Amino acid sequence: MSGTAPRSPHPARTGRRPAGRGPRPRPLPGLGMLRQTGRMFLLAGSVLRLMFRRPFNAREFIEQFWFIASVTILPACLVAIPFGAVIALQVGSLTEQFGAQSFTGGASVLAVIQQASPLIVALLVSGVAGSALCADLGARTIREELDAMEVMGISPVHRLVVPRVLAAMAVAVLLNGLVSVVGTVGGYFFNVIMQGGTPGAYVASFSALAQLPDLYISELKALIYGFLAGVVAAHRGMNPRSGPKGVGDAVNQSVVITFLLLFFVNLVLTTVYLQIVPPKGG
């Protein structure tokens, strides 16, 4: 027999750690969430940077624009009518208690334009179009199509993500105007017909309280919400877990994350707007 000692098995093959070493350090809690947040911010920066790089994929943009518009226009109108009606009825009831029925139109229309319309658009764009966008990119990811594009020297962000994000932003801005009009008309109908309001007082109060920056902040909110919905959906779609179940989980996560971001951003934008723009007549 040879005098050499038998070799000990390699720790990677046995699954046991060598003697003298302590337990593996546990990852810090929340570290994975921070990494995902950082990657999402990097994707947002890449989208902003690649928006101005040529060539621009106009065909993909038009296809995505038409798809998002086709699946959100009718639901947005159907949601805007009862939303505007509820706001008009609630505001009308409150103003009647204070004896200020003449300001019902202005208060309800401002609530629809500044708050309700951008949020309705954002929830529909993220819930309907964003989920489809995330599922499409997730399916491409698990089929390794994005890896193949990178091997061929094609940027998936520039080729696929940028047109989708721009389409979501464009649809959100245009849809916000439509929802504002439908919500205002619905509020007018229910206030004048259901509560016996005066049409002239409704319009006069709106003219007395509303100003052009109210429309600007509404469109700005819709633009930012569309960007956030597109970026979050693209990020989760490009980073799913393996398998079809991972794609489904990524879609659910994208909708939830987008909703949380939208309400937080809405709070920030509303606070900044009320601090910068004085009320009319103030």
Side-chain angles (χ1 to χ4, degrees):
M1 290 181 60
S2 163
T4 59
R7 294 183 178 179
S8 59
H10 195 276
R13 299 172 182 171
T14 60
R16 297 192 301 267
R17 296 181 60 82
R21 295 187 182 181
R24 292 181 178 178
R26 295 182 178 180
L28 296 176
L31 186 60
M33 184 180 299
L34 289 177
R35 288 176 179 172
Q36 293 297 327
T37 304
R39 291 174 182 173
M40 188 169 62
F41 275 101
L42 287 176
L43 178 61
S46 300
V47 171
L48 290 174
R49 177 173 53 86
L50 294 175
M51 280 182 182
F52 307 98
R53 176 180 294 183
R54 301 181 63 182
F56 178 70
N57 193 354
R59 180 177 179 180
E60 189 77 19
F61 169 78
I62 295 174
E63 291 178 354
Q64 295 300 320
F65 179 91
W66 174 251
F67 168 74
I68 297 174
S70 62
V71 298
T72 54
I73 288 179
L74 182 59
C77 294
L78 295 178
V79 172
I81 294 175
F83 217 104
V86 168
I87 292 177
L89 294 174
Q90 186 66 43
V91 172
S93 177
L94 292 176
T95 54
E96 185 178 358
Q97 295 178 19
F98 291 105
Q101 296 91 335
S102 59
F103 293 100
T104 300
S108 59
V109 172
L110 285 179
V112 169
I113 292 178
Q114 287 190 15
Q115 302 298 330
S117 178
L119 286 179
I120 290 174
V121 170
L123 296 179
L124 287 175
V125 170
S126 61
V128 179
S131 59
L133 189 155
C134 180
D136 177 45
L137 291 178
R140 292 172 183 263
T141 301
I142 63 175
R143 292 197 302 262
E144 299 182 352
E145 292 184 16
L146 303 186
D147 295 336
M149 293 177 65
E150 292 181 352
V151 170
M152 292 186 294
I154 303 174
S155 172
V157 177
H158 187 214
R159 176 64 176 78
L160 300 176
V161 177
V162 170
R164 285 165 169 77
V165 174
L166 287 177
M169 295 169 64
V171 172
V173 171
L174 298 178
L175 200 63
N176 181 66
L178 177 63
V179 172
S180 298
V181 172
V182 174
T184 301
V185 172
Y188 173 86
F189 176 81
F190 279 88
N191 178 257
V192 173
I193 302 301
M194 302 294 295
Q195 295 181 318
T198 306
Y202 190 95
V203 178
S205 63
F206 172 69
S207 302
L209 296 178
Q211 51 186 339
L212 200 55
D214 297 328
L215 180 60
Y216 293 159
I217 188 62
S218 178
E219 295 291 352
L220 178 62
K221 284 182 178 181
L223 185 69
I224 295 176
Y225 296 164
F227 176 78
L228 290 177
V231 168
V232 173
H235 173 261
R236 294 309 307 145
M238 297 176 69
N239 298 278
R241 295 181 179 178
S242 58
K245 184 178 183 302
V247 177
D249 294 339
V251 171
N252 295 332
Q253 293 170 5
S254 70
V255 175
V256 174
I257 294 172
T258 305
F259 284 5
L260 295 176
L261 283 177
L262 292 178
F263 286 106
F264 176 75
V265 173
N266 180 64
L267 172 63
V268 174
L269 291 177
T270 303
T271 304
V272 172
Y273 173 76
L274 294 178
Q275 293 295 326
I276 293 178
V277 180
K280 191 174 183 179

